[in-house]
Amino acid sequence: MKTIVWDVDDVLNDLMRDWFESCWRPSHADTRIRYEDITENPPDRVLGISRADYLLSLDEFRRTELARLCSVSDVAAWFGSHGHKCRHLALTAVPLAAAPASASWVLQHFGRWIRSFNVVPSLRGYEQAPTNCFSTKKEFFQWLDRRGLIFVDDSEANISMALDLGISALLMPRPWNSSAKTISDTLDHLGRILEE
């Protein structure tokens, strides 16, 4: 049986879009930047702010608004149609302080299918790396039995890493990556992979 490894932010949810539309834009009313203009992730350079300021704002948004985020509607519909055909796990890179809220969000929205939540710490200056844990998604995949895995992520670097390890991988279309597909097209492709 195949196992799909799902990134969480900007794959299962629209974290960047929701942060940008409900947090960044209202406090920067004069900006001409649209979500579609965010061609880099992290977007600090595009937005003209420091990386520290961006991360502080995003982390505050996670702390106060994450529970209210909806799942990506196409992804939720895909799970309703195909979720029973394989196993699923979540693999996300978030600050350790945000991991409990992220896990709760995943289980609330996708707990019928995703019952394994895995974190690779996205460390902040105030955190120390925990010992005996995976520090990258690559380390996690090197530990995991990779037979039958399919990885879905919005980061081209993470997709390249997975492909280098022999893992099937699909790039979730976002403005900051080169995917020319729609989210719906990508999920249709994923459904076809499950039928192979």
Side-chain angles (χ1 to χ4, degrees):
M1 179 178 272
K2 291 185 168 91
T3 300
I4 302 176
V5 180
W6 297 89
D7 179 37
V8 176
D9 296 332
D10 302 306
V11 172
L12 298 179
N13 63 38
D14 274 322
L15 178 68
M16 180 73 77
R17 181 190 306 270
D18 290 344
W19 167 81
F20 181 76
E21 296 295 343
S22 65
C23 184
W24 174 260
R25 287 196 66 150
S27 62
H28 297 83
D30 60 336
T31 188
R32 293 178 177 256
I33 298 171
R34 301 167 301 133
Y35 169 75
E36 293 77 17
D37 299 324
I38 300 176
T39 56
E40 298 175 11
N41 189 5
D44 46 290
R45 194 186 68 75
V46 173
L47 299 175
I49 60 175
S50 71
R51 176 75 49 93
D53 286 344
Y54 162 69
L55 292 175
L56 185 66
S57 178
L58 184 66
D59 290 349
E60 177 63 16
F61 181 77
R62 272 192 177 110
R63 190 181 68 72
T64 60
E65 302 296 328
L66 184 63
R68 296 187 188 129
L69 284 186
C70 294
S71 57
V72 175
S73 59
D74 286 346
V75 175
W78 186 92
F79 269 92
S81 298
H82 301 280
H84 66 282
K85 297 176 182 175
C86 61
R87 290 182 288 247
H88 306 272
L89 63 89
L91 176 60
T92 188
V94 296
L96 291 175
S102 184
S104 176
W105 185 91
V106 167
L107 292 174
Q108 176 187 355
H109 292 271
F110 296 98
R112 180 175 174 191
W113 304 280
I114 299 175
R115 294 190 192 90
S116 176
F117 181 85
N118 303 273
V119 176
V120 176
S122 176
L123 296 176
R124 302 299 190 245
Y126 56 85
E127 294 178 319
Q128 287 189 342
T131 58
N132 299 325
C133 78
F134 305 110
S135 61
T136 65
K137 288 184 179 182
K138 182 177 182 177
E139 285 182 10
F140 179 84
F141 280 125
Q142 287 173 325
W143 166 79
L144 193 65
D145 180 357
R146 296 185 291 270
R147 289 175 292 177
L149 286 186
I150 305 164
F151 180 45
V152 183
D153 200 301
D154 62 295
S155 163
E156 289 180 274
N158 286 338
I159 294 299
S160 292
M161 168 274 301
L163 293 171
D164 287 347
L165 292 173
I167 299 169
S168 295
L170 292 174
L171 182 63
M172 181 62 78
R174 293 298 178 182
W176 50 87
N177 66 44
S178 65
S179 177
K181 294 182 177 183
T182 66
I183 291 174
S184 180
D185 290 341
T186 301
L187 295 170
D188 287 346
H189 184 195
L190 181 57
R192 289 192 299 275
I193 291 172
L194 292 183
E195 300 302 327
E196 293 174 354

